[in-house]
C-alpha cells in the first residue's frame, strides 16, 4: 500500500485507500455474532441478540463510510476531504458506540428485571 502510494504519486489514490480498509473491515464484521465475544457476561445473558444486531450495524457503518469516502475523494479537494474525514471518522464511531451502549444497557436492565420477576420453575 505504501509502495503503491509512492509509485502512483497521486493524491486521489491516497484518498481512496481508506475505502479498501472500510470494505475489508465491513466484510469481517458480517460474521454473525462477532461482537458477542467482547460483551461482558451479564450482556451475554440478557442481550446477545442485540450484540448480533449491532455487529451488523457496525458492518453497515463501515460500508457506508467506504461509499462516503469515494464520494468525498471524487468530489472535493484534498484539504476538504481531510477535514471531513478527520471529523467523520471519530464522530461516526463515537455516536454509534453511544447509541449501542444506551440501547444495550437499557434493554439489558429491563430484561434482567423481567428475569428476576419471572417465577422460577
Amino acid at each position: 500500500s505504501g509502495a503503491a502510494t509512492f509509485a502512483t504519486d497521486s493524491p486521489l489514490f491516497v484518498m481512496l485507500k481508506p475505502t479498501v480498509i472500510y470494505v475489508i473491515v465491513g466484510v469481517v464484521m458480517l460474521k454473525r455474532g462477532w461482537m458477542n465475544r467482547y460483551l461482558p457476561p451479564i450482556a451475554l445473558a440478557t442481550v446477545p441478540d442485540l450484540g448480533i444486531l449491532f455487529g451488523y450495524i457496525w458492518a453497515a457503518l463501515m460500508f457506508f463510510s467506504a461509499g462516503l469516502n469515494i464520494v468525498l475523494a471524487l468530489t472535493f479537494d484534498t484539504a476538504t476531504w481531510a477535514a471531513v474525514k478527520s471529523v467523520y471518522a471519530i464522530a461516526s464511531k463515537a455516536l454509534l458506540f453511544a447509541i449501542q451502549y444506551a440501547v444495550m444497557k437499557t434493554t439489558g436492565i429491563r430484561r434482567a428485571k423481567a428475569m428476576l420477576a419471572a417465577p422460577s420453575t
Side-chain angles (χ1 to χ4, degrees):
S1 175
T5 299
F6 286 122
T8 61
D9 194 32
S10 168
L12 182 60
F13 179 78
V14 172
M15 292 189 299
L16 289 173
K17 279 194 327 183
T19 302
V20 175
I21 295 167
Y22 283 132
V23 169
I24 291 169
V25 171
V27 167
V28 171
M29 288 179 167
L30 287 175
K31 181 178 180 189
R32 180 179 170 81
W34 70 267
M35 186 175 289
N36 285 354
R37 77 180 88 155
Y38 303 106
L39 297 179
I42 187 66
L44 286 175
T46 56
V47 291
D49 57 323
L50 293 180
I52 293 169
L53 174 65
F54 274 104
Y56 291 130
I57 292 171
W58 277 97
L61 176 65
M62 293 299 111
F63 293 128
F64 177 80
S65 297
L68 178 63
N69 189 63
I70 290 171
V71 170
L72 292 171
L74 297 177
T75 307
F76 296 104
D77 61 272
T78 307
T80 304
W81 173 86
V84 172
K85 291 294 291 174
S86 297
V87 173
Y88 172 80
I90 299 294
S92 63
K93 289 155 194 70
L95 179 63
L96 181 52
F97 176 81
I99 291 167
Q100 176 182 344
Y101 182 82
V103 169
M104 292 182 83
K105 184 79 169 179
T106 57
T107 304
I109 289 171
R110 190 182 77 243
R111 288 181 183 177
K113 286 179 180 178
M115 286 178 185
L116 290 173
S120 55
T121 51

